Amino acid sequence: MGRSYDQFCPAARALDVIGGRWTLLIVRELLLGPRRYTDLVAGLPGIGPNVLAERLRELREAGILTQAKLPPPAASTVYELTELGAAMRPLVDELSRWGMRLMGLPRPGERLRLGWVLGCVRASFRPEMARGVHETYEYRVDGEAFHLRVDDGSLEVRHGPAAAPDCVLTADLWTVLAIGSRLLPVREALEGGLARLDGELDVLERAIAILGGHLEATGGRYGIVGAVGASFRPEAARGVHESYEFRVNGGALVFHAVVDDGAVEMRAGAASEPAAMLSTDLATLIRLGAGSVSLEEALARDTTSVAGDPEAGLRMAAAFGAVVSAP
């Protein structure tokens, strides 16, 4: 189990078992259900195969996880939490709630995956609003599926589709985040083609109210800023040294990107001297990011404009190709 703190203390004993690098993140993945080795590799980018194998061995020896065989037709070997491991759910949820206070703007190179968002969903759950509710909500996001079962004030979050969901929402990750954080009304997302709903709208609106506590508290700003930053194309910004400002929903959300020779830093607030500025509504920004609308189409609408040096606007479009497409 590696080095010990050699202290006869419950906290020290727990850290002897789960205090190693990657260990809690492995537990985070398994709290959503049994996972194959390849699923864990995909959900933990950056972990080395030797480290993952060692951590899985340590957790198995500590009685936190076990291996099982899925029934046919899957017939795959999976890792799943034992009763002792599953008892860590409140700990991981509380860690997520506490960690939300530390979530500033995304750092360069930071990634976001669906599975990591699900922990935030559990941490955002409002049990007082779920009394007497017995419903299952399925989300299909960027080719992946997960579902949430609300049962009279309790919540279960699992990977995969639900057997009999009360509603199914299909959208990309950033649209789901925008809806959950109340930056994008669900009706507007549906009418604009950003999302598709199978089921009753009032059921989905109830799900958003029950599940949106902490995400709503952040205003969803870091998610949207992160989406723009994730679209940055370093190869298109070599030799570029300038700032670009983004104004969303009439200035309700303002942030900017500082581009420096193929690198970018996303910052909140207005830029001091932006070379170009994109003003648009949130729905159009998301559609630009999803590639479902071109920059020319967006500019043809009253809600979108680009100000500043026209050449800088083209450089902005090239650098953030998934947000604005250069004409």
Side-chain angles (χ1 to χ4, degrees):
M1 183 53 66
R3 301 186 62 179
S4 170
Y5 288 101
D6 293 325
Q7 296 181 17
F8 191 67
C9 161
R13 187 62 53 84
L15 289 174
D16 282 345
V17 176
I18 64 171
R21 181 171 166 81
W22 294 105
T23 301
L24 270 178
L25 298 185
I26 292 173
V27 173
R28 176 198 68 187
E29 296 296 307
L30 295 178
L31 282 171
L32 300 173
R35 307 295 279 163
R36 298 170 300 176
Y37 183 87
T38 52
D39 296 328
L40 292 173
V41 170
L44 299 166
I47 192 171
N50 293 339
V51 174
L52 177 57
E54 179 67 13
R55 294 295 179 269
L56 291 173
R57 181 188 64 79
E58 292 172 349
L59 289 171
R60 190 166 58 248
E61 291 177 352
I64 291 176
L65 63 78
T66 186
Q67 285 181 275
K69 193 88 168 181
L70 293 179
S76 299
T77 299
V78 295
Y79 295 91
E80 60 183 358
L81 294 176
T82 62
E83 183 178 353
L84 178 64
M88 294 176 63
R89 186 183 302 278
L91 170 65
V92 176
D93 287 350
E94 195 56 42
L95 186 65
S96 295
R97 291 188 187 96
W98 183 79
M100 285 179 181
R101 304 179 185 181
L102 308 177
M103 297 296 288
L105 296 177
R107 300 167 185 164
E110 285 191 329
R111 289 160 287 191
L112 177 63
R113 294 180 59 87
L114 172 62
W116 308 342
V117 175
L118 299 186
C120 297
V121 170
R122 277 206 316 269
S124 298
F125 178 57
R126 293 169 165 170
E128 71 281 0
M129 298 187 65
R131 304 298 180 197
V133 177
H134 305 272
E135 294 177 329
T136 301
Y137 317 116
E138 181 176 321
Y139 290 76
R140 299 175 186 171
V141 182
D142 295 332
E144 295 185 67
F146 69 95
H147 64 277
L148 307 99
R149 172 65 182 168
V150 174
D151 188 11
D152 192 21
S154 65
L155 173 70
E156 182 181 22
V157 183
R158 305 286 285 185
H159 280 293
D166 292 278
C167 73
V168 179
L169 179 69
T170 303
D172 62 64
L173 179 56
W174 299 109
T175 300
V176 170
L177 286 176
I179 292 173
S181 58
R182 307 299 180 89
L183 275 177
L184 178 64
V186 64
R187 289 178 182 271
E188 184 176 335
L190 296 172
E191 292 170 358
L194 294 171
R196 187 179 76 249
L197 173 64
D198 296 309
E200 297 298 324
L201 180 59
D202 64 330
V203 175
L204 177 59
E205 290 177 333
R206 183 161 50 247
I208 294 169
I210 291 173
L211 303 171
H214 289 272
L215 286 178
E216 182 179 339
T218 68
R221 287 168 169 75
Y222 302 138
I224 298 302
V225 176
V228 176
S231 73
F232 181 66
R233 294 175 173 176
E235 69 280 2
R238 303 298 180 197
V240 177
H241 306 271
E242 51 195 14
S243 298
Y244 309 121
E245 186 171 297
F246 300 86
R247 304 185 67 85
V248 185
N249 285 359
L253 171 61
V254 180
F255 59 96
H256 64 280
V258 179
V259 175
D260 185 14
D261 191 20
V264 67
E265 183 178 353
M266 306 301 299
R267 299 177 182 175
S272 57
E273 296 182 3
M277 181 173 67
L278 173 70
S279 299
T280 189
D281 61 282
L282 181 64
T284 301
L285 181 67
I286 294 174
R287 295 187 70 180
L288 285 165
S292 60
V293 64
S294 68
L295 179 61
E296 302 96 303
E297 292 171 327
L299 291 175
R301 304 172 182 177
D302 294 335
T303 58
T304 303
S305 65
V306 176
D309 178 8
E311 293 296 325
L314 291 177
R315 288 192 292 272
M316 176 181 66
F320 295 92
V323 177
V324 285
S325 303

